[in-house]
Amino acid sequence: MSVVEQYARAHIFTDEEDPGAVPVVLRYDPDADPRSVRVGLPLPGPHEWTFSRALLEQGLRVPAESGDVRVWPCGRVQAVVEFHSAHGVEVVQFESKTLLRFLRRTYTAEPVRS
């Protein structure tokens, strides 16, 4: 098993109308970068953010940030991931158990050996 890809539903908060829960893709590829995870968002058009797996793990326990990405727990069962860019801020709320399940899977993935 090399690449870990998990589909999830999350809420994206914007200044515009709330789209409700939207599909997102959580991805980890140890061959490409064993220290990073990717989050694919559908709004306002498909795009992907790459950031440290350690940041995601730490942000599930306490507020954490690195560069343009911030992660923090939100109550007992949710977590928020905030992405900053020149186009503004995207705030995405996940169920913590979804992110924990994804992280557990990333630690069992191994790079493909040639």
Side-chain angles (χ1 to χ4, degrees), residues 35-37 51-59 61 64 103 107:
R35 294 186 183 125
S36 296
V37 295
F51 58 97
S52 164
R53 177 171 63 168
L55 174 66
L56 180 59
E57 186 173 2
Q58 180 183 8
R61 295 185 311 273
L103 281 170
Y107 286 109

Side-chain angles (χ1 to χ4, degrees), residues 6-60:
Q6 181 174 316
Y7 294 88
R9 297 196 63 75
H11 282 84
I12 298 177
F13 296 95
T14 66
D15 293 340
E16 299 174 17
E17 186 176 324
D18 180 9
V22 297
V24 297
V25 178
L26 305 169
R27 186 173 171 84
Y28 173 72
D29 185 347
D31 292 319
D33 184 353
R35 294 186 183 125
S36 296
V37 295
R38 291 184 272 172
V39 176
L41 303 173
L43 298 173
H47 60 284
E48 193 170 73
W49 286 85
T50 301
F51 58 97
S52 164
R53 177 171 63 168
L55 174 66
L56 180 59
E57 186 173 2
Q58 180 183 8
L60 290 174

